Amino acid sequence: MDRFYFTSFSCSIASLALLIECQHVFEPVRLQMTAEGAGEESFAALSPLRQVPVLHAGATVVRETGAIFEYLSLQHRGSACFARTADERIAALHWIGFLGGTVHPLFRLLFRPDRFIGNEEQDQGSARAQTRQYLLRVLVVIESHLAQRDWVLDRRTAIDFYLFVFTRWVGLLRIPLSPALKDFHHRVESLPAMQLALAIESR
C-alpha cells in the first residue's frame, strides 16, 4: 500500500485531501516536525531535507505538492479534480508555480527566518516585517482573482486544496482575510475530502 508522509499544519494537507478526493488507497503516516526537519533521521532516505509531503508508492517516491498532484492525475485520469483541457492544464500549472514558488517561500521566512538569515532578533524582525508587507500585496492579487468566482479555476480542482494551505496559514499569522478569501477558505474547508483530511491530521 502507498504511504503518505505528512505533518500537521503543513502544506501536506493539500495532497492529503486530494488523495482522499481521488479515493486513492494509501496509509497516512504523520511525522513530528523538529528543528532538523520532519520525522527521524531515517526519513532522509525518502526526503533528503526531511521535508513533507512525500508519497511513497512502491518503488516510486514522489516529493513536492505539484509532483504529487501530477502523479495522482496520471493514476486517476477520470477525476474531475484535474485539468480536462490544454487551457485548464496551463492555468493549473500557473497556479502550482505561483503558490509553490512565490507564496510558499514567504511563509518560510515568516515562520522560520533563522534558516535563512540566522538567529539575530533584529535581522529576523526586519525580514519578517518586509516579508509580511509583500505577503499583503500577494494576498490582494489572489483576492482580486477570487472576487467574482468560487474556485481558483473556472470549476473546483486540486488547486483549491493548495490555496487552502495558505489561507489557513494567514490565519496562524493573525492577518485578517478579505471577504473573498474568507469565503473561499470556508468553501474548501467544508468539502468532504478536506473535512476527512483535517480529521486525519488531528488524530
Side-chain angles (χ1 to χ4, degrees):
M1 182 184 296
D2 294 354
R3 304 187 87 192
F4 178 71
Y5 296 87
F6 69 98
T7 59
S8 296
F9 286 95
S10 73
C11 62
S12 308
I13 195 71
S15 297
L16 182 56
L18 186 58
L19 284 160
I20 294 166
E21 180 81 9
C22 292
Q23 298 183 7
H24 191 86
V25 179
F26 71 101
E27 176 189 356
V29 181
R30 184 171 60 185
L31 304 176
Q32 295 298 318
M33 182 59 72
T34 72
E36 289 75 32
E40 305 292 336
E41 289 184 11
S42 59
F43 183 57
L46 295 179
S47 179
L49 294 177
R50 292 166 61 182
Q51 295 175 325
V52 290
V54 172
L55 180 62
H56 192 190
T60 302
V61 179
V62 190
R63 295 182 288 267
E64 303 291 344
T65 300
I68 292 172
F69 279 16
E70 180 67 10
Y71 176 85
L72 291 175
S73 76
L74 295 173
Q75 297 294 313
H76 304 278
R77 294 180 184 273
S79 172
C81 268
F82 304 108
R84 292 170 170 166
T85 66
D87 286 345
E88 275 193 346
R89 181 168 175 78
I90 291 169
L93 289 173
H94 160 79
W95 279 95
I96 288 173
F98 175 62
L99 295 173
T102 297
V103 182
H104 198 157
L106 298 177
F107 289 94
R108 291 193 180 106
L109 276 167
L110 290 167
F111 290 146
R112 297 179 181 272
D114 54 295
R115 286 187 174 179
F116 307 99
I117 58 175
N119 294 314
E120 290 292 333
E121 290 186 9
Q122 184 174 352
D123 292 342
Q124 289 186 12
S126 177
R128 278 195 171 107
Q130 293 293 325
T131 302
R132 186 183 178 97
Q133 288 304 309
Y134 192 73
L135 174 60
L136 293 176
R137 289 179 57 191
V138 169
L139 291 175
V140 168
V141 171
I142 299 173
E143 173 192 357
S144 177
H145 177 77
L146 289 172
Q148 302 298 325
R149 61 176 67 228
D150 289 340
W151 311 108
V152 176
L153 303 187
D154 291 335
R155 61 183 180 83
R156 185 168 72 82
T157 66
I159 307 303
D160 299 303
F161 293 142
Y162 201 6
L163 180 55
F164 175 84
V165 170
F166 305 109
T167 56
R168 190 187 195 195
W169 287 354
V170 166
L172 294 178
L173 294 170
R174 298 182 180 179
I175 296 175
L177 286 172
S178 69
L181 286 174
K182 185 181 294 185
D183 289 346
F184 170 83
H185 180 86
H186 290 319
R187 269 194 299 277
V188 179
E189 187 177 44
S190 67
L191 294 172
M194 183 57 75
Q195 285 285 300
L196 185 50
L198 292 168
I200 291 172
E201 183 191 70
S202 66
R203 288 177 187 168

